[in-house]
Amino acid sequence: MDRQTFRDFANRRILQTTLEITGQTYPNMPIQFPPYCCLVFGEDEITIYKIVPLTNTKKSKKIYDVIAYRDIEEIEISPVKKLSFVIIALGTRLNLDLIISLSDGTILHFECEDMVMLPQLSSLLSMLQVPFKDPFDLVEVFEKSTSDRAAYDYLEENLEKIAEQKNIKLLRLTQMED
């Protein structure tokens, strides 16, 4: 798939992804959905790699796209509450919604099953002067929590209240907005 075909494809879908920051991949083992690609945050750009099915590893020679940080208008993050199965009952889990808006009008939409890397991601993007929008203050939640589990528990318990207080639409339980 060439770059333009990938962008057209990604512009119409929310792609499951893993994120790699300073050599660490998040999540290291996806639980619910196999990732389609891996976003590697480098010094000058984000490289989007194809993922090898079943192993969930990036295919080092298969690059879908390379996005220079200077071409990014904004990166926005928010939580996504998803249905999940817990042993014999339905439950919910929180995933990361990541939207990359490019200066040419292209919007790439990704979803990651992990949020623990948000303080690192925020710090990296801030250092690189990439505009970063975090309307739910997710970075602050993870920075101030005593553990990653405590941050997730806090968000599970308070997400609807936060959305209501800030008048923000909480994204979907399914793959579609209400």
Side-chain angles (χ1 to χ4, degrees):
M1 181 180 308
D2 66 29
R3 178 182 188 176
Q4 191 56 50
T5 304
F6 172 77
R7 285 195 177 184
D8 290 343
F9 179 78
N11 202 34
R12 295 187 314 272
R13 292 167 179 78
I14 300 171
L15 302 178
Q16 287 297 125
T17 190
T18 57
L19 304 180
E20 184 178 307
I21 304 168
T22 61
Q24 179 69 36
T25 303
Y26 304 90
N28 59 0
M29 183 56 79
I31 299 166
Q32 292 286 324
F33 300 105
Y36 181 79
C37 57
C38 178
L39 276 63
V40 178
F41 289 81
E43 290 181 23
D44 301 316
E45 66 217 4
I46 300 170
T47 306
I48 305 172
Y49 289 92
K50 180 178 182 173
I51 291 287
V52 179
L54 300 176
T55 65
N56 295 323
T57 57
K58 67 182 185 211
K59 203 170 199 176
S60 60
K61 294 188 185 200
K62 182 60 179 166
I63 296 172
Y64 285 131
D65 202 348
V66 176
I67 302 167
Y69 291 122
R70 69 178 177 280
D71 295 334
I72 296 175
E73 189 172 294
E74 176 182 77
I75 293 180
E76 180 176 353
I77 61 166
S78 61
V80 178
K81 200 165 196 175
K82 303 283 285 202
L83 287 175
S84 112
F85 294 100
V86 183
I87 311 217
I88 58 169
L90 281 177
T92 59
R93 62 177 285 112
L94 293 176
N95 288 352
L96 174 66
D97 191 53
L98 181 93
I99 300 172
I100 302 174
S101 300
L102 304 179
S103 51
D104 69 0
T106 302
I107 296 174
L108 303 173
H109 201 154
F110 301 95
E111 186 174 323
C112 181
E113 291 185 357
D114 202 346
M115 288 195 271
V116 300
M117 87 304 283
L118 288 177
Q120 273 184 284
L121 180 61
S122 172
S123 177
L124 175 68
L125 295 176
S126 176
M127 182 182 72
L128 297 167
Q129 299 178 345
V130 175
F132 184 71
K133 187 175 178 185
D134 179 9
F136 283 89
D137 297 321
L138 297 173
V139 173
E140 184 178 336
V141 168
F142 278 90
E143 286 176 337
K144 289 185 174 182
S145 292
T146 56
S147 68
D148 295 336
R149 183 73 260 153
Y152 276 110
D153 290 346
Y154 171 82
L155 289 170
E156 278 282 348
E157 197 172 302
N158 296 290
L159 199 54
E160 283 83 8
K161 288 184 246 175
I162 295 169
E164 189 177 310
Q165 287 171 347
K166 294 184 175 222
N167 198 26
I168 304 170
K169 188 175 186 179
L170 184 57
L171 289 182
R172 67 222 186 269
L173 282 167
T174 62
Q175 284 294 96
M176 306 292 280
E177 287 187 43
D178 293 332

